[in-house]
C-alpha cells in the first residue's frame, strides 16, 4: 500500500509541476516581453489593432482607387451613350455640376437633369469615346482630364473632379470642351464671336479727354 501511495504522490507532484510549467509558458512575466503587460495581452491588442486598420488600408490603396475611378468614368460615358437616365445621373455627386461646350452651359445637377431628360427619353444620348485619361490627387477627392472623340465634334476634352460618397466614387464636377487645333483656333473664335457678342467685355475707358 505504501508503495502504491508513493507512486500516486509522484504522479500528483508531476502533474502539479507540469501545470506550473504550462501556466508559466502561457502567461510569461512582464519582464520576459520587455513591457508592462503580459505577452498574450500584447499580442491580442496588436491583433485587434490590425483588424481595425485593415479596412482603412484597403480603402486607401492607390492602385485600387485608380482602378475604381477609371471604371466609374468609363461607365459614366457608356451610360450617356445608352441614354440611361437613372444610371448616368446615379454616378453624379449629389452636388454635381456639369459644364458644357456652350458658354451658357453651367448646370447644377437638377438643371442638367431637366436638360437631358427629354433627349434621353427619346433615346438620344451622347457618345464620347475615351482616347486617354490622367488621374491625380489623393484621399477622398481626385481630379482628372481626358481626351475624347465625338463623331460630330471631333476631338474634345473632358476634365473634372470626383469625390468618394459612402465608399463609391462619384462625379462632382465635369467640364466638356472642344479641342480646337491651333491652326484653326482663330477662325473658330471669329465664328463664335459672330454668333454671340454678349460675353465680350466692355472696352475700358482710358480716362483721357476726347
Amino acid at each position: 500500500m505504501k508503495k502504491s501511495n508513493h507512486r500516486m504522490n509522484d504522479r500528483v507532484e508531476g502533474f502539479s509541476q507540469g501545470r506550473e510549467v504550462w501556466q508559466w509558458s502561457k502567461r510569461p512575466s512582464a519582464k520576459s516581453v520587455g513591457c508592462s503587460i503580459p505577452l498574450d495581452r500584447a499580442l491580442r491588442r496588436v491583433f485587434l489593432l490590425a483588424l481595425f486598420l485593415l479596412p482603412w488600408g484597403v480603402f486607401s490603396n492607390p492602385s485600387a482607387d485608380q482602378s475604381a475611378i477609371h471604371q466609374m468614368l468609363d461607365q459614366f460615358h457608356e451610360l450617356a451613350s445608352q441614354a440611361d437616365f437613372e444610371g448616368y445621373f446615379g454616378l453624379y455627386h449629389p452636388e454635381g455640376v456639369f459644364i458644357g461646350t456652350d458658354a451658357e452651359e453651367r448646370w447644377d445637377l437638377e438643371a442638367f437633369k431637366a436638360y437631358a431628360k427629354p433627349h434621353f427619353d427619346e433615346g438620344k444620348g451622347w457618345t464620347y469615346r475615351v482616347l486617354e485619361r490622367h488621374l491625380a490627387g489623393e484621399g477622398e477627392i481626385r481630379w482628372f482630364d481626358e481626351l475624347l472623340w465625338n463623331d460630330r465634334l471631333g476631338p474634345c476634352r473632358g476634365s473634372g473632379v470626383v469625390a468618394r460618397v459612402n465608399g463609391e466614387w462619384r462625379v462632382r464636377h465635369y467640364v466638356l470642351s472642344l479641342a480646337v487645333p491651333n491652326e484653326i483656333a482663330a477662325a473658330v473664335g471669329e465664328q463664335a464671336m459672330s454668333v454671340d457678342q454678349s460675353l465680350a467685355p466692355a472696352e475700358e475707358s482710358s480716362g483721357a479727354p476726347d
Side-chain angles (χ1 to χ4, degrees):
M1 269 315 270
K2 291 183 180 179
K3 197 171 185 179
S4 177
N5 289 339
H6 179 69
R7 288 179 178 177
M8 182 65 70
N9 291 336
D10 288 345
R11 290 178 181 177
V12 171
E13 183 179 355
F15 288 147
S16 175
Q17 291 175 351
R19 184 168 60 252
E20 289 174 2
V21 171
W22 177 81
Q23 289 176 343
W24 179 86
S25 62
K26 189 172 183 180
R27 297 184 62 84
S29 65
K31 183 177 180 181
S32 66
V33 297
C35 63
S36 60
I37 58 175
L39 179 59
D40 61 335
R41 190 181 304 173
L43 292 175
R44 187 162 56 249
R45 291 183 179 180
V46 171
F47 177 72
L48 292 175
L49 180 61
L51 288 179
F52 175 77
L53 293 177
L54 180 60
W56 295 98
V58 172
F59 291 144
S60 62
N61 185 328
S63 178
D65 285 338
Q66 288 192 358
S67 177
I69 293 170
H70 279 299
Q71 290 179 11
M72 186 274 291
L73 290 174
D74 288 344
Q75 187 181 21
F76 175 80
H77 291 297
E78 181 63 25
L79 292 171
S81 180
Q82 296 171 0
D84 185 332
F85 185 85
E86 296 299 330
Y88 175 72
F89 284 100
L91 294 180
Y92 276 91
H93 187 280
E95 299 178 0
V97 172
F98 182 90
I99 298 177
T101 56
D102 191 285
E104 297 182 354
E105 292 177 344
R106 187 190 190 280
W107 293 303
D108 61 21
L109 191 57
E110 293 307 313
F112 190 31
K113 285 182 177 181
Y115 165 80
K117 188 70 163 63
H119 300 285
F120 279 34
D121 286 346
E122 295 178 1
K124 298 177 181 178
W126 42 82
T127 301
Y128 290 87
R129 294 195 295 274
V130 180
L131 303 179
E132 64 179 39
R133 180 184 295 132
H134 306 275
L135 300 178
E138 59 185 11
E140 304 300 289
I141 302 292
R142 309 294 173 92
W143 51 94
F144 65 92
D145 63 83
E146 51 190 10
L147 181 61
L148 309 169
W149 180 267
N150 178 272
D151 289 340
R152 186 170 63 90
L153 301 175
C156 298
R157 283 284 183 189
S159 61
V161 176
V162 296
R164 186 153 34 204
V165 180
N166 297 325
E168 302 289 340
W169 291 101
R170 294 292 179 259
V171 176
R172 179 67 178 81
H173 195 94
Y174 194 92
V175 180
L176 178 65
S177 58
L178 302 179
V180 180
N182 291 332
E183 292 79 1
I184 62 172
V188 172
E190 289 178 3
Q191 293 182 52
M193 288 186 288
S194 68
V195 172
D196 188 0
Q197 282 281 348
S198 63
L199 297 178
E203 294 184 3
E204 297 182 1
S205 173
S206 63
D210 294 336

